[in-house]
Amino acid sequence: LPEFVTTGETGYLVPSGDVEALVTLLKRLAANPGEISQMRTNCYQRAEDFSMEAVMQAYLELYGVADGGER
């Protein structure tokens, strides 16, 4: 999901079919387990930001502002 991936923060995207780029990236990540761990943490946070509860809260806040705060 390109919308979810922020390069270096939550993952990496490689061009479809570019095996060389994928192998290069995997070798680099294998040598840097700390980077993988940090991306995993960032991914969990990003997923929470898009949870049903978070999305509903954002809509409630949006409509609360739009209607003058009355619900």
Side-chain angles (χ1 to χ4, degrees):
L1 300 170
E3 299 82 15
F4 189 81
V5 176
T6 301
T7 300
E9 248 182 73
T10 57
Y12 291 94
L13 298 173
V14 294
S16 179
D18 191 342
V19 176
E20 186 175 323
L22 179 59
V23 168
T24 300
L25 176 61
L26 291 175
K27 285 180 180 179
R28 190 173 66 74
L29 290 174
N32 295 293
E35 183 178 0
I36 295 170
S37 179
Q38 183 61 52
M39 283 192 295
R40 179 177 46 245
T41 300
N42 295 343
C43 284
Y44 283 124
Q45 181 59 51
R46 178 75 52 90
E48 287 179 9
D49 293 344
F50 287 97
S51 70
M52 181 60 77
E53 292 81 15
V55 171
M56 291 300 295
Q57 184 60 41
Y59 276 119
L60 290 173
E61 290 173 10
L62 172 68
Y63 291 121
V65 171
D67 70 4
E70 299 175 24
R71 290 186 201 159

